[in-house]
Amino acid sequence: MTESVKWNTRALRPQTEDKVQYHIRCRPGEIAEYVLLPGDPERVPLIAAQWDTARAVSQYREHVTYTGTIGKTPVSACSTGAGGGSTASALEELAELGAKTFIRVGTTGALQEEINCGDLIICAGAVRHDGTSPQYVELAYPALAHYEVVLALIQAAENLNIPYHVGLACTTASFYCGQGRPGFGGYRQSFMDHIVEDMIKAGVLNFEMEAATVLTLSQLFKLRAGAVFAVVANRVKDELVYKKDGIEKAVATANEAVRLLAEWDALKQEAGKKYFFPGLLK
């Protein structure tokens, strides 16, 4: 959908009369309850290539959206672009159209020496340096992944025999200075000399730029969310190895997690239960 859309709407919550959303340019009926959120628009067709059916829904700004099925389960993928601002806009509008479960599928830089490029990191929670979530709730509020999504991602990685690590991410608003890299011309501030070391000592596994926004907003809106990252760098070893197969593993893990979540959700509905630990449903 392009700029030819005629906007004559309230400014408070912009959408057309038939509820086309302002940033993602999608309308009701085009978005599934399960949504994968890559940052890179080019990763959306890569994700959809593993589905049983797929169709392009919209392409506008940094947001490319596909919807299809994994088995009989409807699923969507929408790229967020880099950082919290565009991620929040996408998540808000996807939720408006009925999305209920989100899995961020991204790349990341590891902060622990034992994590190798090509491994996966499954996010249990995030340090909120994203710059966006504080505009929704105070910083003392935690950014936690939903336990069912974490369990599904772990089970998916196990099913696919993919090496993974589970723990906390640090979401930053800047790829350079926010992650302790020098800015243009060697620009530095004193906090940049310590942030990598501080995060390592705190047991944080990785730097990335969207998870805290996704997790915080999903908790506030009573939705489910989690994240899985393909490791493309290790800051301790000062190496960057951008492996396509690592990204493909993250995509496969996220798609398998959707399949598992849909299966568990069906079991819960059948048993009349709202919460359960998979494998313990009686």
Side-chain angles (χ1 to χ4, degrees), residues 2-62:
T2 67
E3 285 287 4
S4 61
V5 174
K6 294 182 180 180
W7 292 94
N8 184 9
T9 178
R10 297 176 63 200
L12 184 65
R13 194 83 186 183
Q15 58 184 14
T16 63
E17 287 185 3
D18 57 349
K19 296 188 178 180
V20 173
Q21 299 299 300
Y22 186 73
H23 294 92
I24 62 173
R25 293 300 204 259
C26 298
R27 55 169 47 87
E30 293 182 329
I31 299 300
E33 290 188 11
Y34 304 91
V35 181
L36 304 183
L37 299 174
D40 183 356
E42 293 186 2
R43 207 168 295 144
V44 173
L46 179 67
I47 290 170
Q50 296 184 5
W51 298 347
D52 294 294
T53 65
R55 65 184 179 91
V57 171
S58 179
Q59 180 174 347
Y60 185 70
R61 300 187 182 187
E62 62 268 58

Side-chain angles (χ1 to χ4, degrees), residues 207-221:
F207 277 135
E208 60 85 56
M209 296 183 65
E210 291 82 30
T213 303
V214 172
L215 301 183
T216 303
L217 269 61
S218 294
Q219 289 177 106
L220 294 173
F221 300 158

Side-chain angles (χ1 to χ4, degrees), residues 69-254:
T69 57
I70 297 174
K72 295 182 179 180
T73 301
V75 60
S76 296
C78 177
S79 56
T80 62
S86 60
T87 298
S89 298
L91 191 147
E92 287 257 12
E93 294 175 5
L94 290 162
E96 189 74 29
L97 296 178
K100 292 181 171 58
T101 298
F102 297 95
I103 301 178
R104 161 149 164 69
V105 188
T107 55
T108 195
L111 292 172
Q112 303 296 330
E113 189 170 9
E114 70 274 11
I115 301 176
N116 298 314
C117 292
D119 288 357
L120 300 185
I121 293 176
I122 294 169
C123 185
V127 180
R128 291 173 53 204
H129 289 325
D130 59 307
T132 298
S133 64
Q135 299 200 346
Y136 284 80
V137 67
E138 62 174 298
L139 275 170
Y141 187 87
L144 298 177
H146 193 282
Y147 80 92
E148 289 179 343
V149 182
V150 175
L151 288 171
L153 288 166
I154 291 171
Q155 186 64 63
E158 291 281 352
N159 290 353
L160 299 171
N161 197 29
I162 296 173
Y164 66 93
H165 311 263
V166 183
L168 299 177
C170 177
T171 303
T172 67
S174 163
F175 179 81
Y176 289 99
C177 294
Q179 297 184 7
R181 296 181 175 94
F184 173 71
Y187 172 81
R188 296 197 68 84
Q189 290 263 318
S190 59
F191 81 90
M192 296 161 56
D193 296 330
H194 307 290
I195 187 168
V196 173
E197 181 182 3
D198 288 349
M199 291 298 105
I200 291 171
K201 288 181 177 178
V204 173
L205 299 191
N206 61 301
F207 277 135
E208 60 85 56
M209 296 183 65
E210 291 82 30
T213 303
V214 172
L215 301 183
T216 303
L217 269 61
S218 294
Q219 289 177 106
L220 294 173
F221 300 158
K222 296 180 171 56
L223 305 168
R224 291 189 303 193
V228 59
F229 315 110
V231 177
V232 299
N234 187 297
R235 296 295 298 279
V236 179
K237 295 184 279 192
D238 194 23
E239 65 179 18
L240 190 151
V241 184
Y242 200 96
K243 293 184 176 181
K244 184 180 179 182
D245 68 331
I247 296 168
E248 290 171 345
K249 289 174 184 175
V251 168
T253 300

